[in-house]
């Protein structure tokens, strides 16, 4: 492979950061080639440093991707993958094996005690937003590993709030942003002056390389991404269930407070999202008649156009239980089977799905859960992306979209976001759009939790049908 100019810059920057002893966050937009830049750095380390040992931690869904990419771009690198066998066997394997690159998953870290006994020349975290929450056991285990150089790879260094950024830097360069309490106190002062967030940016910028695909100075040959909100009406059945659910909350909420109120609000939001998707999802039924859901009608409209052009589409949902009914419905539209990929899909099967979808044979669609399919996968044979339901976090939605909008994409990418008119979906979308610049720059919208902090009056105004 020949590195693009901005990728050469990234490789040189990683080398420089390693030489002066600082951890580095490569935070390029999804699809700009973070993997190939890191592999170039590792290949140089392998050449220059005899017996070097590198640890790479990835989500399980990316094991096959890293294996293929390293075989393609850096075939001299020998890899030891620690996954898919009993922990005792893997611990023994690690003590004997002398591979340059050891690859494991976030889920295996706490079970592989032998990892903690090694001083690694470099520790790399792919999809490093996995350590965004500083108090989880997984994050603490990873921060307990010993490494001379540390690299975090993430397209979303701030996914929900600034605590994510602190946790990332606590791994990369411990102490640089102070303790968690000191950093929170510092963040409270940022809104007091126009240059508040600029101060924070100036502190972290030297340790974070961030390039975006929309910058034509970075990459001029990537097609356009066109985003569109597709509004759809609720069916009669959806309307009845929606009103009933809101009424039940309105009666309960006056007597609730604290954690009980928050829990009830979140549960209701989840029910309303399910009703907006399809009444049968909410009711736990299996029929999924297209006539009962406005979104199913809109999905048919979009997919019939995709079918006519013999193009391919990715459909994202946050609900595992509706993935298969969506795939069954789309099979009717296309007359051909597609795939379903969610948290329950085995790692080996994920690799097969990606390979088949990226192959010559026409596979028209994949239905993916946002969590399982929203990171790392390269699915550039699709040039349509549909967000069947909304995550209400721009960073997470963009990350999912970037399965298709990345290097290797030859066509313009059409992104459809399905929204039920007059419902909570339309009202939350309006709120996010109004705050999008702030969300993308620093804050992020943090899932649904912020909605629970609204007053009863504000809450009912966004939940009730407009």
């Amino acid at each position: 492979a020949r590195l693009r100019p901005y990728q050469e810059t990234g490789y040189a920057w990683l080398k420089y950061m390693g030489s002066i002893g600082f951890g580095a966050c490569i935070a390029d937009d999804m699809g700009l080639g973070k993997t190939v830049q890191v592999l170039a750095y590792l290949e140089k380390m392998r050449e220059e440093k005899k017996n070097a040992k590198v640890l790479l931690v990835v989500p399980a869904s990316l094991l096959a991707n890293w294996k293929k990419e390293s075989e393609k771009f850096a075939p001299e690198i020998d890899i030891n993958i620690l996954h898919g066998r009993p922990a005792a066997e893997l611990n023994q394997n690690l003590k004997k094996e002398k591979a340059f690159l050891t690859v494991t998953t976030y889920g295996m870290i706490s079970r592989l005690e032998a990892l903690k006994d090694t001083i690694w020349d470099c520790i790399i975290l792919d999809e490093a937003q996995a350590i965004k929450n500083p108090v989880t056991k997984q994050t603490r285990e990873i921060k307990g590993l010993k490494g001379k150089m540390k690299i975090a790879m993430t397209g979303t260094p701030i996914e929900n709030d600034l605590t994510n950024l602190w946790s990332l830097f606590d791994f990369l360069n411990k102490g640089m942003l102070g303790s968690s309490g000191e950093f929170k106190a510092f963040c409270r002062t940022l809104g007091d002056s126009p240059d508040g967030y600029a101060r924070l940016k100036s502190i972290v910028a030297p340790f974070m390389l961030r390039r975006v695909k929309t910058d034509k100075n970075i990459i001029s040959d990537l097609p356009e991404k066109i985003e569109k909100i597709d509004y759809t009406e609720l069916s009669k059945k959806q309307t009845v269930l929606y009103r009933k659910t809101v009424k039940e909350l309105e009666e309960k909420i006056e007597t609730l407070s604290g954690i009980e109120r928050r829990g009830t609000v979140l549960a209701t939001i989840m029910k309303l999202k399910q009703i907006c998707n399809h009444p049968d999802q909410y009711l736990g039924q299996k029929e999924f008649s297209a006539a009962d859901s406005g979104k199913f009608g809109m999905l048919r409209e979009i997919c019939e156009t995709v079918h006519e052009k013999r193009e391919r589409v990715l459909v994202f949902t946050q609900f595992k239980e509706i993935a298969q009914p969506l795939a069954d419905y789309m099979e009717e539209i296309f007359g051909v089977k597609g795939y379903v990929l969610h948290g329950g899909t085995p790692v080996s099967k994920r690799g097969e799905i990606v390979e088949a979808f990226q192959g010559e044979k026409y596979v028209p669609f994949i239905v993916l859960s946002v969590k399982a399919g929203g990171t790392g996968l390269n699915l550039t044979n699709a040039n349509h992306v549909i967000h069947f339901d909304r995550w209400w976090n721009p960073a997470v939605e963009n990350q999912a979209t970037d399965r298709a909008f990345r290097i290797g994409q030859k066509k313009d990418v059409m992104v459809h976001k399905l929204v039920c008119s007059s419902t909570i979906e339309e009202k939350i979308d309006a709120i996010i759009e109004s705050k999008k610049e702030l969300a993308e720059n620093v804050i992020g919208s943090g899932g649904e939790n912020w909605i629970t902090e609204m007053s009863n009056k504000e809450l009912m105004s966004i939940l009730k049908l407009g």
Side-chain angles (χ1 to χ4, degrees):
R2 182 179 295 279
L3 294 179
R4 292 165 179 257
Y6 74 86
Q7 291 172 335
E8 284 186 7
T9 303
Y11 154 71
W13 179 74
L14 287 171
K15 238 183 104 184
Y16 173 69
M17 294 301 278
S19 72
I20 59 173
F22 278 109
C25 176
I26 183 157
D28 287 342
D29 243 355
M30 289 287 161
L32 285 179
K34 293 187 288 292
T35 303
V36 79
Q37 293 172 71
V38 170
L39 281 171
Y41 172 68
L42 292 183
E43 178 59 12
K44 190 69 175 170
M45 184 189 289
R46 187 193 66 79
E47 283 178 358
E48 290 181 347
K49 190 164 185 180
K50 200 179 175 187
N51 301 324
K53 282 188 159 188
V54 176
L55 176 65
L56 167 65
V57 187
V58 303
S61 59
L62 299 190
L63 283 170
N65 187 61
W66 269 95
K67 190 168 184 295
K68 281 190 183 302
E69 297 282 280
S70 61
E71 284 168 357
K72 181 178 177 182
F73 297 122
E76 298 292 314
I77 289 179
D78 51 325
I79 298 183
N80 180 25
I81 294 179
L82 301 176
H83 185 75
R85 286 172 284 159
E89 189 184 322
L90 292 175
N91 273 307
Q92 284 301 113
N93 169 281
L94 186 56
K95 286 170 186 171
K96 293 179 200 165
E97 183 69 49
K98 302 295 180 199
F100 167 74
L101 180 60
T102 298
V103 186
T104 193
T105 64
Y106 286 100
M108 290 300 295
I109 290 289
S110 60
R111 296 158 64 192
L112 297 175
E113 284 298 318
L115 292 174
K116 296 167 193 167
D117 301 333
T118 305
I119 297 175
W120 303 92
D121 291 279
C122 186
I123 299 174
I124 303 162
L125 305 184
D126 192 6
E127 302 297 350
Q129 63 273 19
I131 62 161
K132 67 185 178 185
N133 186 343
V135 299
T136 63
K137 185 185 178 193
Q138 177 175 283
T139 300
R140 292 199 305 271
E141 294 275 358
I142 282 172
K143 289 178 180 179
L145 298 169
K146 299 183 278 287
K148 296 173 187 173
M149 163 68 169
K150 292 176 180 175
I151 297 173
M153 302 167 65
T154 175
T156 51
I158 303 171
E159 196 168 86
N160 294 331
D161 59 44
L162 292 175
T163 312
N164 303 166
L165 191 69
W166 179 85
S167 189
L168 202 61
F169 272 81
D170 189 49
F171 164 73
L172 291 172
N173 298 304
K174 193 167 183 63
M176 198 189 93
L177 294 182
S179 68
S180 176
E182 287 168 338
F183 183 69
K184 281 177 183 166
F186 169 71
C187 289
R188 283 196 288 271
T189 69
L190 295 180
D192 297 343
S193 66
D195 64 343
Y197 290 109
R199 272 193 299 146
L200 176 58
K201 192 174 180 181
S202 69
I203 294 168
V204 299
F207 308 94
M208 184 182 291
L209 189 63
R210 171 77 171 161
R211 279 84 58 92
V212 294
K213 287 190 295 250
T214 46
D215 184 350
K216 295 295 181 188
N217 295 320
I218 296 297
I219 184 162
S220 57
D221 59 347
L222 199 64
E224 294 296 322
K225 177 171 72 170
I226 303 144
E227 298 193 73
K228 182 173 183 278
I229 304 285
D230 288 293
Y231 294 98
T232 167
E233 299 296 326
L234 294 179
S235 69
K236 283 183 183 174
K237 192 171 179 181
Q238 284 174 304
T239 304
V240 169
L241 287 170
Y242 192 100
R243 288 200 165 122
K244 178 173 174 282
T245 306
V246 173
K247 183 77 180 155
E248 284 170 2
L249 178 70
E250 193 172 20
E251 287 166 3
K252 275 186 201 171
I253 204 167
E254 295 299 331
T255 60
L256 299 176
S257 61
I259 196 161
E260 194 180 0
R261 179 184 183 276
R262 281 197 293 275
T264 304
V265 171
L266 287 174
T268 302
I269 289 168
M270 203 54 71
K271 288 174 187 174
L272 295 177
K273 280 186 168 189
Q274 291 172 330
I275 292 165
C276 287
N277 278 357
H278 198 291
D280 288 3
Q281 183 188 348
Y282 168 69
L283 296 168
Q285 296 171 350
K286 294 184 179 172
E287 204 174 307
F288 285 92
S289 163
D292 287 337
S293 165
K295 284 190 181 180
F296 269 55
M298 180 61 72
L299 185 65
R300 175 175 284 278
E301 207 174 293
I302 297 165
C303 287
E304 281 176 348
T305 305
V306 174
H307 187 213
E308 280 167 23
K309 296 179 176 177
R310 204 171 166 78
E311 293 178 335
R312 307 189 196 209
V313 61
L314 306 178
V315 179
F316 285 98
T317 173
Q318 63 179 283
F319 298 102
K320 180 181 169 183
E321 68 267 19
I322 201 174
Q324 193 58 55
L326 282 172
D328 294 340
Y329 179 58
M330 290 173 74
E331 189 183 331
E332 281 178 36
I333 299 165
F334 285 98
V336 183
K337 272 190 182 297
Y339 289 104
V340 172
L341 199 158
H342 52 59
T345 310
V347 174
S348 56
K349 180 70 175 165
R350 292 180 198 201
E352 288 170 23
I353 289 172
V354 172
E355 208 165 306
F357 191 77
Q358 290 293 93
E360 291 300 314
K361 188 181 172 190
Y362 183 52
V363 179
F365 67 86
I366 307 181
V367 180
L368 311 99
S369 73
V370 175
K371 278 199 168 174
T375 55
L377 302 177
N378 187 352
L379 298 166
T380 50
N381 264 5
N383 63 310
H384 297 267
V385 174
I386 299 172
H387 292 282
F388 190 75
D389 43 62
R390 306 294 301 281
W391 195 256
W392 295 339
N393 183 327
V396 174
E397 285 192 346
N398 290 340
Q399 210 174 20
T401 297
D402 287 345
R403 301 309 95 234
F405 187 59
R406 58 197 299 129
I407 291 170
Q409 181 55 263
K410 302 288 190 288
K411 299 177 179 178
D412 289 346
V413 175
M414 190 75 207
V415 183
H416 297 267
K417 298 175 180 182
L418 306 195
V419 168
C420 287
S421 296
S422 306
T423 68
I424 183 174
E425 290 192 327
E426 183 175 5
K427 293 165 190 176
I428 296 293
D429 184 67
I431 293 169
I432 287 172
E433 285 303 312
S434 69
K435 296 179 178 177
K436 201 163 190 178
E437 190 177 339
L438 184 62
E440 286 174 352
N441 288 343
V442 181
I443 303 298
S445 54
E448 288 89 43
N449 291 322
W450 55 278
I451 303 169
T452 66
E453 304 309 312
M454 290 178 168
S455 69
N456 288 358
K457 188 179 176 185
E458 288 171 324
L459 186 64
M460 296 321 296
S461 75
I462 67 159
L463 294 187
K464 282 185 174 176
L465 280 175

